[in-house]
């Protein structure tokens, strides 16, 4: 099985997907005239819109839910893996992915808003919905829904849970060794698993409102706290900062681990971390209550910046400044190109980050990383559940099948338990397969949508026109813009016009 997963991972994450991710980001950046830069101020102001409703959540809550998916082990263990296998230059390519990916995030999240539906008292949307409603390709919607359920319901939760288990073990030790069908497991890890499962069940059985209420408090708290710790490390070593940035930029093109390794690991971990183009962000974006679809697209573009330019960069600087990392060459020999720490240290783990903070704060450093990783990973699991649930709901309607959402909850909980007690390498490869498969389907799909209908560009121009006209209440009329299939917004616009006509009588 391990050999098959490795083979499948190599096929899915071929150079073609790497270039596709970068190409799609560049494509939408040019078409939107780099909206991720032009509308940066607007992105920030939109975060504080409080237009939640009985059916939808606020823009900030949607940002928190999407960030809970974007901010996870990829920001701590994933960055360490990128440096450990791709060298410092991988960090530069993560930045490139974030900058270009912000435009991709705008496009996919605007589509999520455009083609969302009101179902059983809440908003639902995502790639499966816009593939069917915009392209008319239900088969592609079903394929994406199946892929996302497998990825977010089976593969990805194990990665988050596995990293939490490893972090807790590194802080508190193995504890009493307990024999299980997965091998010997420390009692410390089992206690951590029990806590995760109990809290996870309480939240996911409360639906999107409870998830949003939880994440809007935890996500900002954990992100700000993590960045503050990184800034302390930076300021204590401020004299090293110019050299570190110089190494990142020079290594991006004359990489210690090889030019291809720097790009490959930087792009892979960048996409895995910020999820731009992967198709996960549109699910939370669709749940938001906004006046105009483009607004949530811009908010989700900002979330990519928070994830990669802020949090991933914080991790990278801590590791590189303190020199708590190794760089391993490509297989088959796998010799260390740079060896600063114990060669037995697992690269694809939080170890580099924990050792970096330990070198500055002593034993409290790894404890902080463990706590941060716990919340990063836990909130990501919540986001994965919501994505899986949304796509199960889509399949129930599209295929007229009756699948209980309780099954999705139990599946997530089982995979969390499985991932916690399993080995890191195998779990990481499974996650890469899931991320890559979703990215292939979503990026190809949103590019096809552009060439066939251009709804995201029409929505952006309409929003910019209304903003330039100084309107205080935005409206959106998809029919007037030639956008078909946006039934939710058609009904909303007709209702708004009817209310205005009634008021003028």
């Amino acid at each position: 099985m391990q050999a098959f997963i490795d083979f499948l991972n190599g096929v899915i994450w071929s150079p073609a997907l790497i270039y596709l991710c970068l190409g799609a980001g560049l494509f939408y950046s040019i078409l939107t005239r780099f909206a991720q830069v032009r509308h940066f101020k607007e992105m920030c102001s939109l975060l504080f819109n409080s237009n939640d409703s009985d059916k939808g959540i606020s823009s900030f809550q949607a940002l928190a839910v999407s960030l809970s998916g974007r901010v996870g082990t990829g920001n701590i263990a994933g960055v360490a893996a990128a440096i450990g296998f791709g060298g410092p230059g991988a960090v530069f390519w993560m930045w490139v992915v974030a900058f270009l990916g912000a435009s991709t995030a705008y496009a996919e999240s605007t589509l999520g808003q455009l083609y969302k539906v009101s179902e059983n008292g809440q908003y639902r949307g995502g790639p499966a919905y816009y593939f069917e409603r915009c392209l008319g390709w239900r088969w592609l919607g079903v394929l994406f829904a199946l892929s996302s359920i497998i990825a977010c319901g089976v593969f990805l939760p194990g990665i988050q849970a596995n990293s939490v288990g490893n972090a807790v073990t590194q802080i508190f030790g193995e504890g009493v060794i307990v024999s299980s069908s997965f091998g010997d497991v420390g009692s410390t890890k089992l206690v951590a698993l029990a806590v995760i499962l109990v809290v996870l069940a309480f939240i996911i059985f409360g639906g999107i409102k409870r998830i949003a209420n939880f994440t809007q408090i935890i996500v900002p708290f954990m992100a700000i706290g993590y960045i503050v710790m990184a800034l302390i490390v930076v300021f204590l070593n401020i004299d090293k900062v110019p050299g570190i940035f110089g190494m990142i930029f020079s290594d991006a093109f004359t990489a210690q681990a090889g030019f291809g390794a720097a790009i490959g690991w930087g792009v892979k971990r960048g996409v895995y971390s910020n999820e731009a183009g992967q198709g996960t962000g549109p699910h939370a974006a669709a749940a938001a209550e906004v006046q105009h679809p483009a607004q949530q697209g811009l908010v989700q573009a900002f979330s990519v910046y928070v994830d990669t330019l802020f949090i991933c960069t914080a991790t990278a600087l801590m590791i590189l400044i303190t020199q708590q990392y190794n760089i391993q060459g490509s297989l088959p020999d796998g010799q260390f190109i740079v060896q600063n720490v114990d060669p037995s240290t697992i690269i694809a783990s939080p170890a580099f980050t924990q050792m970096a903070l330990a070198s500055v704060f002593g034993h409290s450093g790894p404890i902080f990383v463990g706590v941060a990783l716990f919340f990063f990973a836990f909130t990501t699991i919540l986001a994965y559940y919501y994505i899986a649930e949304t796509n199960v709901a889509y399949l129930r309607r599209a295929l007229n099948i009756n699948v209980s959402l309780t099954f999705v909850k139990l599946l997530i909980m089982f995979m969390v338990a499985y991932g916690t007690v399993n080995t890191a390498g195998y779990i990481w490869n499974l996650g890469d397969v899931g991320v890559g498969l979703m990215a292939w389907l979503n990026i190809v799909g949103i590019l096809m949508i552009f060439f066939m209908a251009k709804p995201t560009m029409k929505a952006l121009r309409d929003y910019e026109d209304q903003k330039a006209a100084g309107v205080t209440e935005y409206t959106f009329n998809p029919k007037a813009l030639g956008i078909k299939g946006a039934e939710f917004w058609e009904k909303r616009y007709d209702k708004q016009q009817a209310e205005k006509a009634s008021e003028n009588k």
Side-chain angles (χ1 to χ4, degrees):
M1 176 61 79
Q2 174 96 37
F4 174 73
I5 293 298
D6 290 343
F7 169 77
L8 189 60
N9 195 15
V11 172
I12 292 176
W13 279 99
S14 64
L17 179 57
I18 293 173
Y19 295 133
L20 184 64
C21 291
L22 294 174
L26 180 61
F27 179 75
Y28 272 106
S29 293
I30 294 173
L31 289 174
T32 61
R33 294 180 294 124
F34 292 91
Q36 68 266 48
V37 177
R38 294 190 298 112
H39 292 302
F40 184 80
K41 183 179 179 181
E42 181 74 359
M43 294 176 191
C44 298
S45 65
L46 288 171
L47 295 179
F48 302 100
N49 286 354
S50 57
N51 296 322
D52 59 334
S53 66
D54 292 337
K55 293 183 179 181
I57 57 180
S58 69
S59 289
F60 183 77
Q61 287 178 319
L63 174 75
V65 174
S66 66
L67 272 176
S68 69
R70 299 184 198 277
V71 179
T73 60
N75 299 83
I76 298 178
V79 173
I83 294 173
F85 293 116
V91 178
F92 171 83
W93 294 105
M94 291 180 71
W95 292 341
V96 172
V97 168
F99 177 72
L100 297 179
S103 65
T104 311
Y106 160 78
E108 63 181 2
S109 295
T110 300
L111 289 172
Q113 264 289 328
L114 273 172
Y115 299 102
K116 70 181 181 182
V117 301
S118 178
E119 187 177 83
N120 297 324
Q122 63 179 298
Y123 297 143
R124 292 194 185 277
Y129 291 84
Y130 54 71
F131 291 157
E132 177 181 339
R133 292 175 173 268
C134 182
L135 294 175
W137 294 353
R138 177 174 288 185
W139 64 269
L140 185 59
V142 169
L143 183 58
F144 182 89
L146 290 171
S147 299
S148 63
I149 292 169
I150 293 172
C152 295
V154 180
F155 291 165
L156 297 174
I159 298 174
Q160 308 299 323
N162 183 268
S163 293
V164 169
N166 289 339
V168 171
T169 298
Q170 185 166 346
I171 295 171
F172 300 106
E174 291 282 355
V176 179
I177 302 299
V178 179
S179 297
S180 71
S181 57
F182 300 107
D184 293 338
V185 183
S187 59
T188 304
K189 186 176 288 189
L190 293 177
V191 171
L193 173 60
V195 173
I196 293 172
L197 292 178
V198 170
V199 180
L200 177 63
F202 173 76
I203 296 176
I204 64 177
F205 276 90
I208 182 58
K209 284 287 187 178
R210 190 173 294 175
I211 293 173
N213 289 333
F214 180 82
T215 56
Q216 75 173 341
I217 296 173
I218 295 299
V219 170
F221 171 77
M222 69 184 188
I224 293 172
Y226 190 75
I227 292 172
V228 167
M229 291 291 284
L231 288 175
I232 293 174
V233 174
V234 170
F235 286 131
L236 289 176
N237 298 273
I238 195 69
D239 58 312
K240 298 180 182 178
V241 173
I244 294 299
F245 277 97
M247 181 172 61
I248 290 173
F249 285 109
S250 64
D251 195 60
F253 301 98
T254 58
Q256 297 178 53
F259 184 62
I263 296 178
W265 278 95
V267 172
K268 181 186 290 187
R269 289 303 161 205
V271 171
Y272 181 83
S273 176
N274 64 51
E275 301 185 1
Q278 184 180 320
T280 54
H283 298 89
E289 185 74 71
V290 293
Q291 295 178 1
H292 195 286
Q295 291 178 320
Q296 190 55 209
L298 292 173
V299 168
Q300 294 301 325
F302 181 77
S303 72
V304 175
Y305 288 159
V306 174
D307 174 89
T308 305
L309 297 186
F310 298 163
I311 301 179
C312 284
T313 299
T315 301
L317 290 178
M318 286 190 291
I319 292 173
L320 294 174
I321 284 175
T322 59
Q323 295 186 331
Q324 298 296 309
Y325 66 93
N326 295 328
I327 301 178
Q328 185 172 351
S330 302
L331 297 176
D333 55 357
Q335 296 296 314
F336 285 107
I337 300 171
V338 174
Q339 183 179 331
N340 295 319
V341 298
D342 188 339
S344 65
T345 304
I346 299 174
I347 293 178
S349 76
F352 288 169
T353 311
Q354 289 179 316
M355 289 189 293
L357 281 173
S359 68
V360 177
F361 299 103
H363 184 63
S364 60
I367 293 177
F368 177 81
V369 174
V371 172
L373 189 57
F374 178 89
F375 285 110
F376 281 16
F378 182 76
T379 54
T380 300
I381 293 169
L382 294 177
Y384 288 157
Y385 161 73
Y386 179 66
I387 293 167
E389 179 193 271
T390 298
N391 284 282
V392 168
Y394 171 82
L395 290 180
R396 291 172 64 178
R397 182 187 57 81
L399 302 181
N400 194 26
I401 57 177
N402 186 20
V403 178
S404 173
L405 295 180
T406 301
F407 171 76
V408 185
K409 297 175 175 66
L410 295 176
L411 177 63
I412 288 284
M413 294 175 70
F414 172 79
M415 292 311 302
V416 166
Y418 176 81
T420 301
V421 298
N422 227 300
T423 58
Y426 182 64
I427 293 295
W428 271 103
N429 288 341
L430 284 175
D432 285 342
V433 170
V435 171
L437 187 58
M438 292 174 66
W440 267 109
L441 294 172
N442 187 59
I443 293 177
V444 170
I446 64 175
L447 289 175
M448 290 299 299
I449 286 174
F450 171 81
F451 289 115
M452 295 180 67
K454 300 180 178 63
T456 53
M457 298 305 302
K458 294 176 181 178
L460 181 61
R461 284 197 295 268
D462 179 64
Y463 183 70
E464 290 175 338
D465 289 344
Q466 291 188 54
K467 183 174 175 59
V471 301
T472 55
E473 291 287 333
Y474 290 89
T475 59
F476 184 71
N477 183 1
K479 288 183 179 179
L481 298 174
I483 298 175
K484 299 179 181 180
E487 296 177 6
F488 170 85
W489 289 96
E490 291 176 6
K491 293 177 181 178
R492 168 175 282 196
Y493 182 79
D494 291 342
K495 181 180 179 181
Q496 289 173 336
Q497 295 308 301
E499 291 174 349
K500 286 182 179 180
S502 177
E503 292 173 357
N504 293 330
K505 286 184 179 180

